[in-house]
Amino acid sequence: MAREFQRGHKAKISDLTPGTDLYVGVQIAGPGLTFDISCFGLDANEQLSDDRYFIFFNQPKSPEESIQLLGAQAGDTESFRVTLDRIPANIHKLSFTATVDGAGQMSQVGPGYIRIVAGGEEVVRYAFNGSEFTTERAVMLGDFYLKDVWRFAAVGQGFDGGLDALLKNFGGEVAEEEPAAPQPQAAAPSFAPPAQAAAPAPVPSFGAPAAPQAPQAPQPAPSFGAPAAQAPAPTPQQQMHAAPTMAAPMAPHGGTVPPPAPAPAPYGQPGQPPQQPQFGQIPGQQPAAPYGQQAPAPYGQQAPAPYGRQPPGMQPPGMPQGVPQGVPQAGAGLQAALQPYKETATGQRWTPQNQQLMRVDLTMGGTPVLARQGSMVMYQGKVDFGYKGAGFAGRIVGNSTGQEMQLMRCTGRGQVFLAEDGSHLHAIELQGDGICVSAENVLAFDESLQYEVRRIEGHGIPGGALFTMQFQGTGTVVVKTHGVPVVLPVTPTTFADCNAVVAWSSASQVIISSQVRLRRNAYPGHSGETVNLQFRGAPGNFIVVQPYEV
């Protein structure tokens, strides 16, 4: 039975099916609308670095045929064949998109879906409809993405532009289409009887859904206003239109700096008429250069290079003449300077912008986010922030430690950027498993997660106890650390300082170490730590510690 996904749901492909030769079907329709359904093969930076992996009506397959456009079949508006174990290593994501060809908006579409079929059996389906969108003209339906293993995510994110804007968003470029050569007029056909109907095509060997063998009665008209009569399934040639030809990815902004105009010949060189000395100038003395310009060199000598440049003939090999040494070959100017810091391409609900800044897209998943009050640094869109009481357990944390974790509830349609004190942020995605995190190290988490506060009491612990939050379910929790953490396996002799421990597997047992003393260096061989925690558990359990001391 196929799994029904909601927007934002993710799963490993191996949890859905053991197969890697998959059929991907997309069904989308709307009154008076036509659609372009495409697949973008993106690199690790979510950019279309190789335009041969943009699969659409004019380029139906990738070079090694790991991604193929199959056309309309089995009730799908468009279908693809994806062979995951043949995708090259430089491709980290396959983004399946649908765009409106011509006038129209995604809010006009009726019920649609994207589904995965393996061995002829549907294993997952993500359904959507026009009520989820407004004025968008494109939608990112679903992604295959590589995160140690191949996974599938139901995206359902609208995009304001059409196919051209979507291509530019992924780093591609749109070039003008050359006019087609006039076709010679064909001769008038002679009389001939109609040809025999072709036999139905066999089911694809890789497991695409089989087409019905017996003729079926016409289906009733959809409620969104499609024509009552069932039209024959369109072929890829019928969907073809005069779209601009897609070219290679765009070059970085800026470009190289053009070489400066040649300087005038120095005073006194052959071919230069003698010049009269200016007012106040001693005869024979070189005339002064205008303010901000360089003075000409004496007769027979080479003009010195401008500040920051090398003389002609001294430029490094491969660099154009006249380019300052400090200017990167990617180009100069404001755009080139800001390029390394631009917003990271999206496509996921949680996206790290750098080590200290996390971006969450509330439009994906439809689930509110709980975050520490004061951790929002910027947001865009229609986002509401409300106080979230921590309950009785939260009041215990505040009364006992003086560091009550006050939460805010983020809802709406938009993006929120979170950070706190320059701490390193790490998004931990849970798929039905659990993890315990020190309450001091929790920054934000999906409200869909089940969580509770636990208390580890011990003599010598600041505040009398160590409070942790246990998370379980499906969702993401963002953990903050001082510096880059390290993950260690739990062994029978695993001890950690209570200030350094960040998180551990929920199946681990935590007890106060017997080495606890009131004073540091109380006896020879002691570690010098006020409180040590001992972790016990079966093989496979872990702890996360940070390079930090109070």
Side-chain angles (χ1 to χ4, degrees):
M1 181 177 180
R3 291 178 57 179
E4 295 288 341
F5 271 27
Q6 301 296 324
R7 179 190 294 180
H9 281 189
K10 308 171 187 176
K12 297 179 181 178
I13 296 297
S14 57
D15 293 341
L16 302 174
T17 174
T20 59
D21 198 359
L22 307 176
Y23 172 99
V24 180
V26 176
Q27 202 282 328
I28 186 171
L33 300 180
T34 57
F35 297 90
D36 294 324
I37 302 173
S38 313
C39 176
F40 291 85
L42 309 176
D43 59 18
N45 297 321
E46 299 191 5
Q47 295 293 296
L48 183 66
S49 55
D50 189 342
D51 63 318
R52 298 176 301 171
Y53 289 89
F54 174 35
I55 309 304
F56 67 121
F57 48 84
N58 274 350
Q59 187 166 256
K61 60 184 178 180
S62 60
E64 71 291 327
E65 298 186 357
S66 62
I67 315 167
Q68 302 179 46
L69 186 71
L70 303 180
Q73 58 177 305
D76 298 330
T77 309
E78 189 61 87
S79 61
F80 299 82
R81 180 179 183 178
V82 177
T83 310
L84 294 176
D85 51 7
R86 296 179 59 186
I87 296 176
N90 62 310
I91 302 299
H92 288 243
K93 176 182 285 190
L94 304 179
S95 181
F96 294 89
T97 66
T99 57
V100 177
D101 176 19
Q105 299 175 351
M106 281 297 170
S107 59
Q108 301 172 255
V109 304
Y113 60 79
I114 179 173
R115 63 173 177 166
I116 300 177
V117 177
E121 179 182 357
E122 183 175 324
V123 296
V124 67
R125 173 185 291 235
Y126 162 53
F128 58 89
N129 56 66
S131 63
E132 303 177 25
F133 312 107
T134 54
T135 60
E136 298 94 333
R137 301 189 60 249
V139 60
M140 303 175 189
L141 299 172
D143 293 341
F144 286 87
Y145 65 99
L146 187 61
K147 186 178 179 183
D148 62 60
V149 295
W150 280 104
R151 305 166 186 254
F152 176 74
V155 179
Q157 180 177 356
F159 194 86
D160 287 336
L163 183 59
D164 296 352
L166 194 61
L167 180 63
K168 291 179 181 178
N169 177 69
F170 287 130
E173 185 180 47
V174 180
E176 294 296 333
E177 186 181 48
E178 298 181 359
Q183 298 292 334
Q185 185 175 2
S190 58
F191 172 79
Q196 296 293 330
V203 177
S205 59
F206 69 95
Q213 299 296 328
Q216 300 180 353
Q219 299 294 327
S223 58
F224 54 84
Q230 183 176 3
T235 63
Q237 288 76 15
Q238 290 174 327
Q239 294 183 3
M240 189 176 303
H241 64 94
T245 302
M246 306 304 170
M250 292 189 297
H253 293 290
T256 57
V257 178
Y267 174 75
Q269 286 193 2
Q272 180 96 5
Q275 300 180 1
Q276 296 295 328
Q278 299 179 0
F279 175 77
Q281 177 184 344
I282 302 175
Q285 183 183 7
Q286 292 289 345
Y291 177 75
Q293 299 184 12
Q294 188 178 10
Y299 174 71
Q301 299 183 14
Q302 186 180 17
Y307 176 76
R309 302 183 184 178
Q310 291 185 346
M314 298 296 292
Q315 294 282 65
M319 179 176 289
Q321 295 291 334
V323 179
Q325 295 184 38
V327 177
Q329 296 194 24
L334 183 61
Q335 292 292 338
L338 299 180
Q339 182 72 14
Y341 311 106
K342 70 174 184 178
E343 181 181 357
T344 303
T346 59
Q348 304 294 332
R349 177 173 168 84
W350 295 89
T351 307
Q353 302 301 299
N354 51 51
Q355 290 184 331
Q356 291 88 20
L357 188 63
M358 184 69 63
R359 175 187 188 271
V360 56
D361 192 344
L362 299 177
T363 61
M364 300 182 61
T367 303
V369 168
L370 300 179
R372 282 182 176 269
Q373 288 191 19
S375 62
M376 186 277 294
V377 297
M378 194 197 82
Y379 73 92
Q380 50 191 8
K382 296 182 178 179
V383 181
D384 295 326
F385 299 92
Y387 176 74
K388 172 67 175 178
F392 179 73
R395 288 194 294 271
I396 292 178
V397 175
N399 296 335
S400 301
T401 67
Q403 298 176 352
E404 179 178 358
M405 184 179 178
Q406 297 181 348
L407 300 175
M408 60 181 179
R409 190 169 185 264
C410 309
T411 58
R413 296 181 62 87
Q415 298 79 35
V416 182
F417 293 78
L418 303 171
E420 185 171 279
D421 297 333
S423 300
H424 288 223
L425 304 182
H426 316 272
I428 302 176
E429 180 182 343
L430 301 181
Q431 294 286 346
D433 39 5
I435 188 173
C436 294
V437 185
S438 172
E440 182 63 24
N441 295 93
V442 176
L443 180 71
F445 54 92
D446 287 325
E447 195 179 41
S448 58
L449 289 173
Q450 301 175 5
Y451 64 95
E452 62 176 334
V453 179
R454 290 188 172 185
R455 174 175 178 151
I456 302 175
E457 297 183 356
H459 182 69
I461 298 180
L466 174 66
F467 290 88
T468 66
M469 298 186 67
Q470 181 178 3
F471 297 93
Q472 279 188 321
T474 301
T476 300
V477 55
V478 179
V479 177
K480 61 187 184 77
T481 64
H482 294 271
V484 180
V486 62
V487 180
L488 299 171
V490 172
T491 68
T493 56
T494 298
F495 298 85
D497 177 22
C498 69
N499 294 318
V501 67
V502 174
W504 58 89
S505 51
S506 58
S508 299
Q509 180 185 5
V510 185
I511 60 176
I512 303 298
S513 170
S514 59
Q515 297 182 1
V516 172
R517 293 295 184 273
L518 293 178
R519 296 179 57 189
R520 295 175 182 262
N521 303 324
Y523 59 91
H526 188 262
S527 66
E529 304 299 339
T530 305
V531 179
N532 287 338
L533 301 177
Q534 183 178 6
F535 292 83
R536 298 175 181 175
N541 288 280
F542 63 88
I543 63 170
V544 183
V545 295
Q546 60 187 352
Y548 176 71
E549 278 286 2
V550 176

